[in-house]
């Protein structure tokens, strides 16, 4: 087992390396570097700028620049933000917990909806309840997240007014009080709910198919012929087998959430990393952009790794030698 | 003697081809058939209307008619520059659909080639292609597309289609590869190879027709998905350039809270148009999926 995890981990290293190369190449393509602001200044002579560039290492060959950049990242140094004038890590640190919090609530809500729906429609397939769930699935599959989120914001944020329409916390409450956390939760519910209601679709579909498949397996028939009550067959035998792959998709779910944050945080003006990414691109603050791409790229690679490990834990056949 | 045997072969009842089965299944599924019919009417009228209308007249700024609510002159009102929403909706629909179709076709071509080659030849080729696919799939694609769009020196519709395609062919290639792998082991392929048929001929005339139903299903579902993705990116401001209005452009006006709350006629019709397009394409896709899978066929 450990051998597999270790090997899978080593596969990730070249992937990270290529990712960093791509991000670095893109960063070099982006207009402007740390000295662009100064070189616009007519009071500073071009010779002096050249000197400064030389000193900052911007005239070195790309592999030396890359080496410095990557070793900085390994030591947790992403450079300085051009617009905020503080280290990139600090800019991101302000936002990252908002995003993690949003992702966590989204994940909880997703499974809270998906698992009961999947179980009901799988167990009672082809009944009215299954038809409702399947119909919902059809709609959810065809609805793009950003449109659903906009409509949710329009209805529950503006028309009915149950939820705030932006921000991550009300400015009227003090930090660290009970009201503060309630307000935080209040702000996160609508974006999380919008994502979760769309994200359930895949899990529901998969769980339903799994349960229907397992229903007719030999072990279920054996259990039934032994006289085990139906409820127990479902909870103890079928559900256990059907939930395993769902658990394994947790990592892929994280990968999907990373893509969604950009859209959902923009719509709900939620101050997280995704919104920071969009606003930094608008402000041409590329050191922040590269840091975010690098970080979230790492997060998705980690998510895939997590899924592969869980999958190999629950299903030994996956452990490729 | 020879003529007789040919006759015998023709007399043996031919099993219907994959595409014929799919068509018959589609006709049986009323929802899917209705969707197809509806989609055809919608698209034909949108394309004809966009040909008849003058795009320049629609794009003209008119400061005397800013944010008009729907009236007889502007059936769906006007936007912040006094431009007619209905006209933009028609152009947006045709642009969004055309571009999604281009992206889907291009990714289908790349995915199909990569999948067929990886699945058929196996070995090192397969390994290289699959590692590349695994890697691209593990990237945060939305962000990468946005970064590419910002970095690319000249941002045009063609470039946008190319950038999107870089990240979207992988799922299809994986699917085609697994189907090709299964098909390759079947006896008819082995037999054909023994007879000395060249590889390209086996791939194109034996394997390709046999996985055609999967390709059609996947194409339809991807088309719907790409409409959603293109409009979402345009909504964020990283999709089609402003000279080419998309449905996402209209919805992006709703990023202004005032428009979202009080001026529904600007963004809601475009949002509904995307929903209707994606739903009807998906209904068709799901029916095709059932048709392609013999176990789920309705008979």
């Amino acid at each position: 087992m450990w051998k597999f995890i270790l090997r899978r981990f080593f596969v990730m290293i070249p992937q990270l390396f290529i990712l960093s190369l791509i991000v670095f190449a893109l960063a070099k393509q982006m207009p402007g570097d740390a000295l662009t602001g100064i070189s616009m200044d007519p009071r500073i002579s071009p010779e002096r700028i050249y000197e400064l560039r030389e000193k900052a290492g911007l005239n070195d060959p790309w592999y030396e620049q890359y080496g410095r950049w990557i070793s900085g990242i390994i030591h947790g140094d992403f450079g300085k933000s051009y617009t905020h004038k503080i280290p990139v890590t600090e800019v991101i640190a302000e936002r990252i917990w908002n995003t993690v919090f949003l992702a966590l609530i989204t994940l909880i809500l997703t499974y809270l909806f998906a698992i009961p729906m999947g179980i009901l429609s799988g167990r009672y397939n082809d009944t009215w309840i299954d038809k409702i769930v399947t119909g919902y699935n059809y709609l959810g599959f065809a609805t793009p997240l950003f449109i659903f989120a906009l409509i949710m914001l329009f209805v529950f944020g503006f028309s009915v007014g149950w939820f705030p329409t932006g921000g991550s916390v009300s400015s009227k409450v003090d930090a660290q009080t009970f009201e503060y956390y309630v307000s935080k939760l209040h702000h996160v519910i609508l974006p999380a709910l919008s994502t979760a209601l769309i994200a359930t679709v895949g899990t529901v579909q998969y769980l339903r198919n799994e349960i229907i498949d397992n229903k007719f397996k030999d072990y279920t028939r054996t259990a039934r012929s032994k006289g085990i009550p139906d409820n127990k067959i479902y909870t103890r035998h079928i559900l256990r087998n059907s939930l395993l792959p769902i658990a394994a998709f947790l990592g892929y779910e994280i990968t999907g959430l990373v893509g969604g944050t950009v859209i959902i945080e923009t719509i709900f003006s939620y101050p997280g990393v995704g919104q920071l990414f969009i606003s930094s691109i608008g402000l041409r603050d590329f050191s922040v952009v590269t840091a975010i791409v690098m970080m979230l790229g790492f997060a998705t690679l980690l998510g895939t790794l997590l899924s592969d490990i869980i999958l190999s834990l629950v299903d030994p056949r996956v452990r490729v030698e | 003697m020879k003529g007789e045997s040919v006759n015998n072969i023709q007399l043996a009842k031919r099993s219907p081809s994959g595409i014929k089965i799919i068509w018959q299944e589609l006709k049986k599924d009323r929802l899917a058939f209705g969707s197809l019919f509806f989609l055809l009417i919608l698209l034909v009228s949108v394309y004809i209307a966009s040909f008849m209308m003058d795009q320049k007249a629609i794009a003209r700024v008119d400061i005397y008619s800013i944010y008009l609510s729907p009236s007889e002159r502007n059936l769906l009102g006007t936007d912040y520059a006094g431009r007619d929403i209905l006209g933009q909706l028609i152009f947006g629909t045709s642009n969004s659909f055309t571009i999604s179709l281009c992206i889907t076709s291009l990714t289908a071509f790349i995915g199909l080639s990569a999948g067929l080659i990886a699945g058929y030849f196996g070995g090192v080729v397969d390994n290289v292609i699959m590692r590349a696919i695994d890697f691209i799939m593990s990237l945060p694609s939305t962000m990468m597309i946005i970064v590419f769009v910002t970095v690319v020196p000249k941002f045009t519709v063609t470039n946008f289609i190319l950038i999107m395609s870089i990240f979207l062919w992988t799922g299809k290639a994986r699917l085609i590869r697994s189907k090709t792998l299964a098909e390759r082991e079947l006896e008819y392929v082995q037999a054909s190879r023994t007879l000395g048929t060249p590889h390209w001929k086996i791939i194109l005339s034996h394997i390709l027709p046999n996985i055609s139903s999967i390709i059609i299903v996947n194409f339809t579902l991807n088309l719907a998905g790409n409409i959603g993705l293109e409009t979402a990116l345009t909504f964020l401001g990283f999709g089609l350039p402003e000279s080419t209005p998309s449905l996402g452009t209209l919805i992006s006006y709703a990023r202004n809270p005032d428009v979202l709350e009080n001026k529904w006629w600007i963004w809601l019709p475009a949002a509904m148009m995307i929903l209707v397009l994606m739903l009807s394409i998906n209904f068709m896709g799901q029916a095709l999926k059932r048709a392609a899978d013999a176990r789920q066929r309705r008979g």
Side-chain angles (χ1 to χ4, degrees):
Chain A
M1 185 63 235
W2 282 107
K3 234 167 122 188
F4 171 78
I5 294 179
L6 211 65
R7 183 169 294 142
R8 185 58 190 73
F9 194 76
F10 279 124
V11 171
M12 210 176 92
I13 292 172
Q15 285 185 334
L16 263 179
F17 175 67
I18 299 173
L19 174 70
S20 71
L21 273 183
I22 294 176
V23 171
F24 181 76
L26 287 174
K28 284 278 123 190
Q29 285 297 308
M30 292 171 187
D33 55 42
L35 291 172
T36 310
I38 302 174
S39 57
M40 300 285 183
D41 197 332
R43 283 167 299 179
I44 303 173
S45 69
E47 289 80 26
R48 174 81 185 123
I49 288 167
Y50 185 81
E51 233 170 80
L52 281 172
R53 289 185 70 87
E54 192 73 22
K55 222 170 145 192
L58 289 171
N59 293 333
D60 292 347
W62 67 269
Y63 47 86
E64 279 179 29
Q65 291 191 41
Y66 171 77
R68 264 199 306 279
W69 178 75
I70 198 78
S71 78
I73 286 178
I74 292 167
H75 293 105
D77 174 21
F78 282 96
K80 229 173 173 179
S81 155
Y82 308 146
T83 46
H84 301 272
K85 305 289 178 212
I86 49 171
V88 172
T89 36
E90 281 177 39
V91 182
I92 293 175
E94 278 172 27
R95 311 283 199 111
I96 187 94
W97 296 113
N98 283 336
T99 298
V100 171
F101 184 55
L102 174 63
L104 198 69
I105 302 285
T106 309
L107 220 52
I108 294 172
L109 285 177
T110 307
Y111 286 118
L112 216 59
F113 295 132
I115 291 174
M117 275 199 281
I119 291 174
L120 281 176
S121 73
R123 179 168 174 179
Y124 305 106
N125 66 315
D126 296 330
T127 60
W128 61 271
I129 192 150
D130 178 39
K131 289 207 174 98
I132 291 176
V133 173
T134 322
Y136 165 74
N137 251 4
Y138 266 125
L139 291 178
F141 187 73
T143 311
L145 176 62
F146 81 107
I147 288 183
F148 184 66
L150 262 182
I151 291 172
M152 290 286 274
L153 178 64
F154 178 61
V155 173
F156 294 105
F158 286 107
S159 300
V160 192
W162 288 350
F163 295 98
T165 55
S168 71
V169 71
S170 162
S171 55
K172 292 185 199 102
V173 293
D174 296 320
Q176 312 304 331
T177 56
F178 178 66
E179 281 82 26
Y180 179 78
Y181 292 106
V182 171
S183 163
K184 264 195 114 97
L185 198 63
H186 193 204
H187 279 78
V188 93
I189 288 287
L190 197 57
L193 194 68
S194 312
T195 320
L197 284 174
I198 296 288
T200 48
V201 171
T203 314
V204 172
Q205 187 75 40
Y206 203 83
L207 190 57
R208 174 177 182 270
N209 293 347
E210 279 288 309
I211 290 180
I212 293 176
D213 274 354
N214 277 318
K215 244 188 208 174
F216 303 106
K217 290 243 168 92
D218 285 345
Y219 75 87
T220 315
R221 210 180 308 157
T222 314
R224 197 162 273 144
S225 58
K226 282 198 301 190
I228 297 173
D230 227 28
N231 268 332
K232 216 169 174 184
I233 293 180
Y234 274 100
T235 51
R236 297 291 287 276
H237 297 265
I238 294 179
L239 197 58
R240 273 194 194 182
N241 277 305
S242 311
L243 275 181
L244 287 179
I246 303 292
F249 285 144
L250 181 71
Y252 299 128
E253 209 64 57
I254 295 173
T255 313
L257 279 180
V258 167
T261 49
V262 179
I263 291 168
I264 215 79
E265 287 178 4
T266 309
I267 290 177
F268 290 96
S269 333
Y270 185 82
V273 175
Q275 200 211 23
L276 178 68
F277 174 75
I278 297 290
S279 65
S280 299
I281 282 203
L283 293 167
R284 312 265 137 188
D285 194 349
F286 291 120
S287 50
V288 178
V289 172
T290 38
I292 293 176
V293 174
M294 200 60 211
M295 269 179 46
L296 293 188
F298 183 59
T300 45
L301 283 178
L302 220 55
T304 325
L305 174 75
L306 187 71
S307 261
D308 283 356
I309 290 177
I310 302 177
L311 205 64
S312 76
L313 277 175
V314 300
D315 190 349
R317 281 169 301 180
V318 186
R319 273 176 238 165
V320 213
E321 286 310 315
Chain B
M1 195 60 198
K2 208 179 173 197
E4 204 175 301
S5 73
V6 168
N7 262 336
N8 275 343
I9 292 168
Q10 279 173 344
L11 278 175
K13 196 172 174 256
R14 280 188 68 196
S15 65
S17 72
I19 290 164
K20 211 168 180 180
I21 293 178
I22 284 183
W23 173 243
Q24 276 164 0
E25 275 298 306
L26 196 63
K27 274 202 292 195
K28 252 173 229 149
D29 192 325
R30 248 179 293 153
L31 187 61
F33 196 65
S35 299
L36 176 67
F37 198 62
F38 169 78
L39 204 65
L40 280 179
I41 291 179
L42 179 77
L43 288 176
V44 167
S45 46
V46 159
Y47 276 104
I48 289 177
S50 68
F51 264 117
M52 308 253 279
M53 276 189 317
D54 180 11
Q55 189 161 6
K56 286 212 180 78
I58 301 288
R60 199 171 293 137
V61 175
D62 179 3
I63 51 166
Y64 293 108
S65 47
I66 289 171
Y67 284 144
L68 290 181
S69 46
S71 64
E72 265 172 43
R73 205 165 76 86
N74 303 97
L75 281 177
L76 284 171
T78 55
D79 68 358
Y80 73 97
R83 293 172 292 201
D84 183 43
I85 298 288
L86 183 66
Q88 290 190 64
L89 187 71
I90 289 170
F91 277 112
T93 310
S94 77
N95 282 337
S96 285
F97 189 82
T98 313
I99 282 158
S100 306
L101 198 64
C102 288
I103 295 170
T104 318
S105 310
L106 191 60
T107 51
F109 179 72
I110 304 173
L112 201 58
S113 319
L116 279 171
I117 290 171
Y120 182 79
F121 291 106
V124 184
V125 186
D126 183 32
N127 246 323
V128 170
I129 294 179
M130 283 316 284
R131 288 297 83 73
I133 289 175
D134 283 345
F135 178 69
I136 295 178
M137 280 186 124
S138 68
L139 291 175
S141 53
T142 322
M143 283 189 165
M144 288 309 242
I145 292 174
I146 292 175
V147 173
F148 268 85
V149 165
T150 348
V151 165
V152 82
K154 227 177 115 209
F155 186 56
T156 57
V157 176
T158 326
N159 280 341
F160 178 68
I161 293 173
L162 288 177
I163 292 171
M164 291 273 282
S165 303
I166 296 175
F167 293 95
L168 295 175
W169 60 276
T170 49
K172 187 172 297 211
R174 204 178 240 186
L175 178 78
I176 301 295
R177 172 191 171 260
S178 69
K179 294 288 164 199
T180 312
L181 263 179
E183 210 68 30
R184 186 184 68 167
E185 298 306 320
L186 295 182
E187 272 154 7
Y188 74 93
V189 174
Q190 304 289 343
S192 185
R193 200 182 280 174
T194 323
L195 288 172
T197 320
H199 289 309
W200 64 268
K201 208 167 180 182
I202 296 184
I203 294 178
L204 290 184
S205 61
H206 295 345
I207 294 182
L208 195 61
N210 274 302
I211 57 173
S212 61
S213 54
I214 300 285
I215 299 171
I216 295 172
V217 172
N218 190 259
F219 188 92
T220 327
L221 293 178
N222 273 349
L223 179 62
N226 287 342
I227 292 178
L229 204 58
E230 180 271 309
T231 47
L233 282 166
T234 312
F235 167 77
L236 287 174
F238 301 99
L240 298 188
E242 233 196 300
S243 54
T244 322
S246 140
L247 289 173
T249 321
L250 281 174
I251 301 177
S252 73
Y253 296 141
R255 284 171 71 182
N256 174 350
D258 175 50
V259 172
L260 180 62
E261 191 181 356
N262 304 317
K263 302 181 174 70
W264 58 269
W265 64 86
I266 294 177
W267 62 275
L268 200 60
M272 287 301 134
M273 182 61 93
I274 294 175
L275 272 184
V276 164
L277 277 177
M278 282 183 68
L279 264 178
S280 46
I281 298 175
N282 259 309
F283 281 140
M284 274 163 48
Q286 300 290 354
L288 294 176
K289 201 173 176 182
R290 274 198 301 276
D293 184 355
R295 282 173 304 176
Q296 293 181 28
R297 235 172 254 162
R298 288 181 177 173

